[in-house]
Amino acid sequence: MPLNQYVTLGRSGLRVSPFCLGAMTFGEDLGWGSSVEASQAILDRYLALGGNFIDTANVYTRGHSEKIIGDHIGRHPARRERVVIATKFFGNLFPQDPNGGGAGARSLIAATHESLRRLRTDYIDLLWMHAWDRHTPIEETMRALDDLVRAGKVRYLGFSDTPAWKVAQAQTMAHLRGWAPLVALQIEYSLLERTVEGELIPMARELGLGVTPWSPLKSGALSGKYTRENAGKVKADRGAWVESNLNERTYSVIDVLQRVAREQGTTPAHVALAWVQGRPGVSSTIIGARTLEQLESNVGALEVKLTADQIAALEAVSQPSLNFPAGFLQGAPTFMHGGLTVNGVTAPPLPWAPKSDAERY
């Protein structure tokens, strides 16, 4: 599946590449990341490979990420029209201004205008709320977002890093009031972060939100660079972001990743990316790249086709502990249709179920 095998994002007609290019590393303003020239080269190569989906945020490298994209793509109308640009509001670039961040109407409208200026475009294809603002009523946020869509400044809406119950409230409100609905959900998802399968993934599938996972390699912990054999000997590129995840559970997952990679004749990173992209509900996985080599390598994961046995092995070793009631409800089919199969779900018999009609009261 190359980058130009497009998918529609959630319950929308927006066509996007199966891998989205994450631009958090564009710019060296924070002491790491890609130079302007390297970022432009990565953009060019991604587009040349058929990619069309770019994800950034107003706060990435203090706005420089957006400016790099705007200078290289936004100011060229022909190039701009073939690219789906997604950015986020919420982050505060004005630390002395309490209204400089969050999801209040004043803040998000101002942030959107700033993003439009940096991106050098008249519209944003997909505008994300970067995180849940517990201080702002969700109806205020959704109404302001609808106003931006009606004004033609934004085409589609999505939420990132927000509890499932709040996303569901916002989506239901939008439908009932005739406001622009959400079409996508951006959340962390990887073999090392599967707790989203308890509430967020089922909610997204039910409400028509295409899932765009971030950190599918868990900040590089699943890149293949770190193994049980070299534990403590390899310096992590991203420091504590990676090192905090290098534990026995992670090495158990990496052991299986390495085995599957050998069977596939590929790399552990490719296997980890292929697993995420193949999960139910996932539309487009966000991949980051600081170099052209990293981009080329990550895109290669689209060619990996995992077998049922390989998927089962990866899921068994990475099985998450889910919050109540998600874990409890895994046993519900036994109460509901024990001994039978419904929609492909087979449940063991309920031990204390009546053996005949005569045993029922």
Side-chain angles (χ1 to χ4, degrees):
M1 179 191 286
L3 284 173
N4 61 0
Q5 295 294 306
Y6 305 107
V7 298
T8 51
L9 186 59
R11 194 174 296 156
S12 81
L14 184 64
R15 280 78 160 166
V16 298
S17 297
F19 277 177
C20 171
L21 179 61
M24 188 174 72
T25 57
F26 284 10
E28 301 172 295
D29 307 69
L30 303 180
W32 51 272
S34 307
S35 67
V36 172
E37 293 74 17
S39 300
Q40 291 173 343
I42 290 168
L43 283 168
D44 287 342
R45 185 56 181 157
Y46 175 75
L47 297 178
L49 291 170
N52 78 332
F53 192 14
I54 301 169
D55 181 80
T56 185
N58 69 324
V59 292
Y60 289 170
T61 48
R62 303 190 183 102
H64 197 189
S65 173
E66 287 185 328
K67 188 176 186 304
I68 291 172
I69 296 168
D71 289 345
H72 198 57
I73 293 177
R75 67 189 182 94
H76 300 288
R79 184 181 297 181
R80 169 67 185 98
E81 287 300 319
R82 64 161 292 203
V83 176
V84 175
I85 296 179
T87 193
K88 308 176 190 74
F89 68 89
F90 183 87
N92 194 336
L93 291 172
F94 307 93
Q96 300 304 313
D97 181 4
N99 290 304
R106 172 176 169 170
S107 171
L108 76 86
I109 291 172
T112 300
H113 288 158
E114 285 288 299
S115 289
L116 288 167
R117 177 181 61 81
R118 285 188 290 266
L119 290 167
R120 302 183 69 166
T121 183
D122 295 328
Y123 65 94
I124 292 166
D125 293 287
L126 173 61
L127 182 62
W128 301 99
M129 181 173 75
H130 208 154
W132 174 40
D133 176 4
R134 67 184 65 203
H135 303 294
T136 299
I138 198 63
E139 58 267 27
E140 178 181 339
T141 301
M142 294 305 292
R143 176 58 185 270
L145 290 173
D146 181 68
D147 287 343
L148 288 170
V149 172
R150 291 177 187 272
K153 297 177 181 179
V154 173
R155 301 288 168 82
Y156 296 92
L157 304 173
F159 274 10
S160 175
D161 306 331
T162 298
W165 63 271
K166 182 56 66 172
V167 180
Q169 180 189 20
Q171 185 74 324
T172 301
M173 180 181 299
H175 283 306
L176 290 175
R177 297 190 178 184
W179 294 343
L182 306 172
V183 303
L185 178 73
Q186 186 175 145
I187 51 177
E188 183 179 1
Y189 195 15
S190 71
L191 282 165
L192 294 180
E193 178 45 81
R194 293 182 56 192
T195 58
V196 293
E197 295 173 8
E199 297 280 354
L200 286 160
I201 296 290
M203 178 274 300
R205 298 181 69 190
E206 181 72 18
L207 297 182
L209 308 180
V211 176
T212 63
W214 60 265
S215 197
L217 297 179
K218 195 63 175 179
S219 299
L222 299 175
S223 65
K225 181 177 180 179
Y226 312 98
T227 67
R228 188 183 297 278
E229 291 71 29
N230 66 24
K233 301 175 184 177
V234 178
K235 180 175 175 58
D237 293 336
R238 301 187 69 179
W241 285 59
V242 175
E243 293 168 357
S244 62
N245 293 304
L246 298 179
N247 50 43
E248 178 57 33
R249 178 175 180 273
T250 295
Y251 289 127
S252 296
V253 172
I254 291 173
D255 289 343
V256 178
L257 272 180
Q258 290 177 309
R259 175 173 65 79
V260 173
R262 287 193 296 270
E263 294 171 356
Q264 286 276 346
T266 187
T267 67
H270 281 183
V271 173
L273 288 170
W275 179 86
V276 172
Q277 183 57 25
R279 298 300 294 163
V282 170
S283 292
S284 179
T285 299
I286 299 173
I287 58 171
R290 288 187 295 107
T291 66
L292 281 173
E293 292 74 21
Q294 288 178 350
L295 174 65
E296 298 273 5
S297 176
N298 286 338
V299 169
L302 291 173
E303 303 297 334
V304 176
K305 306 298 179 186
L306 300 175
T307 67
D309 286 345
Q310 289 168 342
I311 293 172
L314 290 167
E315 293 182 2
V317 74
S318 64
Q319 189 66 37
S321 178
L322 301 177
N323 289 338
F324 182 88
F328 173 81
L329 290 175
Q330 291 177 342
T334 298
F335 289 87
M336 183 167 47
H337 56 256
L340 303 173
T341 299
V342 177
N343 288 335
V345 178
T346 300
L350 184 65
W352 54 86
K355 299 299 186 293
S356 67
D357 289 344
E359 292 183 1
R360 290 201 308 269
Y361 286 98

